[in-house]
Every structure is written in C-alpha cells, then in structure tokens.
Amino acid sequence: ASVPIIEMDRLPRGGLSFETEAVGRIQFGIPPETIKDSMRLGIGVPNVYIVPVERFCREMGPALGINVAEFEFPAYFNYFVHQK
C-alpha cells in the first residue's frame, strides 16, 4: 500500500492546515488570529487542532515571540458556530 501525499496549506500567521479523509481538516499550531487566516484562504476552520510540543515560538511575532497554542477562540468558534 502506498502512503498518500497530503497537501498542506501554510497559514499567513503561522500554522499548517490540511484535509484528511478520516476527520476532515486538521491544523498544526494555533497562532493568534488563526480562524481569520483559514476563512480568508477559503479552506474552512478545522475541528481538530494539534498543539506543538514547543508552545511558544520566538522566531515569529514581536521581540518576545508568540504563543502557538491559542486554542480559546477556535474552541469557541467550533462550539458556537459548528455546534461541536
């Protein structure tokens, strides 16, 4: 059996989003404003998120970096909009 190639969408503010047959869209990393990035790209807001082991990225954002585990708004979005 061959391993399928999965196309990844790089989000403008960080994070990777990809579609799966098993659970739908998945996103790796949850930087601030991630929902807006997904909606602007027209790829839909994922129901499944993967929080990176390193939850703080100093290579992005202002001098102190950014939190790449901002799961509060995606959780609210999925609860109130997707009703999940």
Side-chain angles (χ1 to χ4, degrees):
S2 64
V3 177
I5 296 174
I6 298 176
E7 288 188 33
M8 301 260 184
D9 295 302
R10 290 192 177 275
L11 301 175
R13 294 179 183 98
L16 297 171
S17 184
F18 52 95
E19 189 70 32
T20 68
E21 291 181 18
V23 297
R25 188 155 288 278
I26 296 174
Q27 183 174 315
F28 178 79
I30 317 168
E33 308 291 331
T34 195
I35 293 172
K36 290 179 186 176
D37 286 344
S38 294
M39 293 173 77
R40 284 186 183 137
L41 291 174
I43 58 174
V45 176
N47 291 327
V48 177
Y49 292 86
I50 300 171
V51 176
V53 173
E54 293 291 327
R55 294 179 301 277
F56 197 76
C57 180
R58 295 191 186 279
E59 288 80 38
M60 298 170 56
L64 297 176
I66 64 167
N67 179 358
V68 291
E70 292 277 340
F71 59 86
E72 180 181 9
F73 288 107
Y76 288 150
F77 185 88
N78 281 312
Y79 181 77
F80 290 112
V81 176
H82 288 248
Q83 309 243 321
K84 294 182 180 182

